[in-house]
Amino acid sequence: MTHALELAGRGLHTTQPNPRVGCVIAHAETVVGMGWHQRAGEPHAEVFALREAGALARGATAYVTLEPCSHFGRTPPCADALIAAGIARVVVAADDPNPRVAGAGLARLAAAGVAVETGLLRDAARDLNRGFHSRFERDRPWVRIKAAISLDGRNALASGESKWITGEAARTDVQEWRARSSAIMTGIGTVIADDPRLTVRREALRDHGEFVPPLRVVLDSRLRMPRGLQVLDGGAPTHVLHCPGATPVDDRFTRAKTVAIAADAQGRPDLVVALRHLAHSGVNELQVEAGARLCGALIDRDLVDELLVYIAPVLLGDRSRPFACLAQPASIAAARRLQLVEHRQLGDDVLLLYRCAADRSRP
């Protein structure tokens, strides 16, 4: 199963909106076939493994990182393929949260006399597809905020100047996280101030491989985005989320999709509704690269699962801008606690990946 998970990881950038899945077919310790899901609409991991195993699949055990599908989508059911090949036993790491599968694949295998076991390396399998599980189980994507900050916790001068706090190695690393994301979201303030592309620089990826261009998402309550901004260039699919009643004044949004989202009490797109829209659009992992107000609002509403923080060895002073405007806790004991899950040095900068403590038991 460890090998199957490694295979599944090869689809880290390419399977969106599908999950990353790997499969290994073996007789005892002898591997006879292996495969992974590579792209949506193409064969699933089990099919590639069965093709490699051929007749040797009969009587073998299939180790699959996610429950085999049982329905006809863009490809036939993998459960049927395993049965037809004569697989004797299927070991599954994690159940499929998609209601179209959700136990039906396991039931079909068992009904055909295939021995079924579940739960082997379940946590690792769910973590690999944490966004996919979140989309179906919580009706929202897995939300990751990316922040580049100074040693004193600031991400821009009071004037808004922020390029560049971190070095080239850190900025290159961000491209890997963008490439694995289904969507990148920001607010209208950041778009006007920085004119970001919100795309992946292919040449910066470590394997220079394929990736599915992440959806670009901009929260623009009144559709006041100026003409000529890079997020409106058609270079990647783009959704502009606005409040009801806002209408484009001209054709500046012809290369983007405008979506009306219910307003919150402050007259901005309701974040819960916005995340639900993204989940229903097939977004598994959402990377937020935004200003202090949007980042703070997401954190204060317990809508953030991870903080991806790049800390640079610079000091910007107390008049500079924080990366998030947060409500003050009533006491130190009531302060939010984070769980460090990864740390790396990137040139002179340090990457810290935190999980929000309140979300440790979630997908």
Side-chain angles (χ1 to χ4, degrees):
M1 188 63 80
T2 298
H3 190 185
L5 284 166
E6 291 172 352
L7 292 169
R10 298 184 185 182
L12 191 68
H13 300 161
T14 60
T15 63
Q16 163 68 24
N18 290 355
R20 303 125 182 174
V21 183
C23 177
V24 171
I25 298 174
H27 287 276
E29 296 181 1
T30 302
V31 173
V32 296
M34 59 184 184
W36 69 94
H37 183 44
Q38 298 174 18
R39 300 171 194 83
E42 296 186 7
H44 291 183
E46 299 93 323
V47 173
F48 284 114
L50 288 170
R51 286 178 183 174
E52 186 173 294
L56 294 176
R58 185 162 300 278
T61 296
Y63 297 87
V64 191
T65 60
L66 189 72
E67 177 182 357
C69 62
S70 57
H71 64 285
F72 282 89
R74 285 191 276 182
T75 58
C78 291
D80 289 353
L82 293 167
I83 293 167
I87 291 290
R89 175 172 166 253
V90 174
V91 180
V92 173
D95 296 348
D96 193 324
N98 187 338
R100 300 180 69 185
V101 183
L106 301 178
R108 184 172 294 189
L109 291 167
V114 178
V116 176
E117 300 175 22
T118 62
L120 181 62
L121 298 184
R122 177 178 181 271
D123 289 347
R126 284 178 62 86
D127 192 58
L128 180 63
N129 286 310
R130 49 192 181 267
F132 184 75
H133 286 279
S134 178
R135 175 157 66 96
F136 286 104
E137 296 172 5
R138 300 188 293 176
D139 207 22
R140 72 164 177 83
W142 180 271
V143 178
R144 174 173 54 250
I145 286 180
K146 169 261 174 182
I149 64 174
S150 64
L151 195 58
D152 52 347
R154 308 291 168 158
N155 74 342
L157 298 178
S159 64
E161 181 185 349
S162 62
K163 292 182 179 180
W164 297 102
I165 294 175
T166 55
E168 180 61 30
R171 299 198 299 274
T172 297
D173 190 72
V174 171
Q175 302 303 311
E176 295 285 338
W177 289 94
R178 283 186 173 186
R180 69 169 288 162
S181 302
S182 309
I184 304 168
M185 185 170 78
T186 194
I188 181 62
T190 297
V191 167
I192 291 175
D194 297 341
D195 190 20
R197 286 187 182 275
L198 298 185
T199 54
V200 178
R201 289 191 290 121
R202 183 185 301 274
E203 68 278 7
L205 299 181
R206 282 187 277 272
D207 61 3
H208 294 276
E210 296 182 58
F211 62 91
V212 177
L215 174 70
R216 299 186 292 195
V217 182
V218 181
L219 300 183
D220 183 3
S221 303
R222 301 188 298 277
L223 291 177
R224 61 189 178 95
M225 200 182 306
R227 279 183 174 277
L229 294 177
Q230 295 185 109
V231 292
L232 298 177
D233 63 7
T238 305
H239 285 191
V240 180
L241 309 187
H242 61 89
C243 293
T247 55
V249 296
D250 50 35
D251 62 353
R252 71 188 63 182
F253 295 103
T254 54
R255 294 184 176 183
K257 179 180 180 179
T258 56
V259 182
I261 298 293
D264 62 15
Q266 287 74 43
R268 306 185 188 106
D270 186 285
L271 294 175
V272 172
V273 179
L275 293 181
R276 186 181 304 128
H277 161 74
L278 295 179
H280 295 177
S281 300
V283 172
N284 294 325
E285 293 184 27
L286 172 67
Q287 183 151 307
V288 179
E289 301 185 12
R293 189 172 66 182
L294 177 53
C295 289
L298 287 163
I299 294 171
D300 279 339
R301 295 197 65 177
D302 290 324
L303 296 174
V304 177
D305 301 296
E306 288 182 330
L307 293 177
L308 177 66
V309 183
Y310 297 89
I311 302 179
V314 297
L315 300 170
L316 297 184
D318 59 2
R319 293 188 179 180
S320 294
R321 301 181 182 183
F323 87 89
C325 294
L326 299 170
Q328 181 172 296
S331 65
I332 295 297
R336 296 176 184 275
R337 299 290 175 176
L338 307 176
Q339 177 191 20
L340 180 64
V341 294
E342 183 181 346
H343 60 92
R344 285 185 279 127
Q345 184 162 349
L346 298 165
D348 290 331
D349 305 320
V350 175
L351 174 149
L352 300 173
L353 179 65
Y354 291 99
R355 294 274 169 87
C356 295
D359 294 326
R360 290 183 194 177
S361 63
R362 295 182 182 179

